[in-house]
Amino acid sequence: MYQGYITPAEEHRPIGSGSPPGSRSPLGTLAFLALVVAPFVAFSYPVATVAILTGTVALAVLSRSVLRTLRRRSGRVQTFTLPGLGTVEYRITTN
């Protein structure tokens, strides 16, 4: 016959650290689902995928170019002449 014994409190596993998680977050589940579905969508619509990737790269290059230009012109007074109206002076400053 089995004779069990009562385990002391020191041998019990702590509740917080080693226990399995109760539930997953909805955001993590959606991110995992998007990672699984994304390759199928990309292979189903190759033209749209190439267009989106090209647009993303072009936007990144354009934003870097604009930021570089703004940094170069920072602090200097620039003028812009409107024929028949006058001249506008402006200065680009950074915070």
Side-chain angles (χ1 to χ4, degrees):
M1 183 165 160
Y2 173 73
Q3 293 188 5
Y5 67 97
I6 298 174
T7 58
E10 293 82 21
E11 292 182 20
H12 285 283
R13 181 178 52 161
I15 291 175
S17 65
S19 62
S23 64
R24 306 274 183 205
S25 71
L27 184 61
T29 304
L30 287 176
F32 176 74
L33 182 63
L35 285 174
V36 169
V37 171
F40 294 109
V41 173
F43 285 123
S44 297
Y45 302 101
V47 175
T49 302
V50 169
I52 289 172
L53 289 175
T54 304
T56 303
V57 170
L59 185 63
V61 169
L62 180 66
S63 66
R64 287 179 56 113
S65 174
V66 167
L67 287 175
R68 192 178 307 122
T69 301
L70 289 177
R71 250 186 253 118
R72 189 174 58 236
R73 292 184 178 183
S74 178
R76 296 188 312 190
V77 176
Q78 304 286 322
T79 59
F80 180 68
T81 303
L82 298 170
L85 294 176
T87 302
V88 177
E89 292 183 350
Y90 64 94
R91 179 182 306 188
I92 298 172
T93 60
T94 58
N95 291 339

